Amino acid sequence: MGCGHEGGVAPALAAAGYEVLAIDPNAPAGPLYRRVTLEELDDPGPFDSVVAGRVLHHVQSLGAALDKLTALAPMLILDEFAWNHMDEPTSDWYESQHRVLVAAGREPKGPPDLADWRARHADLHPYETLRAEIDARYDERHFEWRPYFYRWLEGPSTMALEAGLIAAGAIRPIGFRYAGVRRETERSPAESL
């Protein structure tokens, strides 16, 4: 879910032997992909898992989307970001790295000004909303905070630098990875018969 125009992790999963259906309104052409939103997806599954890459924070009907995901597969694997955790030191570091890369002749794909970016993306779900909705439906099996800005900056050593600053406590991690399994609903005694 959310494979984008480049295909996301679908080719790597297919190469590893998994059957894959990757969806995104901007998905590439090919047998692994379908150009649809989650709401438009008519494949009933079941699937072994859903892998969602930096997409749930955009979904407006988050609860309904997660309900559909729980019906499609018992496992959810996320690569997401907590955009609302960008504090001042973290934003200052990112923006200074962006300026350095531009001065060196690079064109980072991320925005130069995070305050402006936030203003233009006020409709995104904050981390706390994502987690509350996810935790209502899934039991966490793995969670880790990770670097994220390296994706926007694309500098030659940005990921290592970002990871080092996070480890030193100088900036906050805003990327996270999560894996959870669907909560099984309790059956009433009548349903068990």
Side-chain angles (χ1 to χ4, degrees), residues 19-84:
E19 290 183 40
V20 177
L21 171 62
I23 65 168
D24 192 294
N26 300 310
L32 300 179
Y33 304 103
R34 211 174 294 166
R35 289 183 179 146
V36 296
T37 65
L38 177 62
E39 295 82 8
E40 297 167 337
L41 180 65
D42 59 1
D43 191 320
F47 299 96
D48 292 329
S49 65
V50 171
V51 178
R54 298 177 306 279
V55 68
L56 287 180
H57 61 276
H58 287 287
V59 176
Q60 288 308 306
S61 299
L62 183 59
L66 286 166
D67 288 343
K68 185 167 186 174
L69 294 180
T70 61
L72 287 172
M75 180 178 284
L76 177 65
I77 301 168
L78 295 178
D79 182 20
E80 263 293 351
F81 81 122
W83 64 269
N84 61 308

Side-chain angles (χ1 to χ4, degrees), residues 6 93-94 97-98 101 106-110 148-159 162:
E6 295 176 350
W93 173 79
Y94 167 83
Q97 289 299 299
H98 194 283
L101 290 168
R106 295 185 175 264
E107 289 295 325
K109 70 179 177 182
Y148 181 83
F149 284 125
Y150 72 92
R151 299 168 194 254
W152 283 0
L153 293 167
E154 301 178 315
S157 60
T158 305
M159 184 177 182
E162 185 178 356

Side-chain angles (χ1 to χ4, degrees), residues 23 28 34 54 56 59-60 83 86 103 119 125 139-140 142 146 161 169 172 181:
I23 65 168
R34 211 174 294 166
R54 298 177 306 279
L56 287 180
V59 176
Q60 288 308 306
W83 64 269
M86 293 185 238
H125 298 296
D139 290 321
E140 179 183 307
H142 174 80
R146 302 183 42 81
L161 177 59
R172 289 183 79 175
V181 294

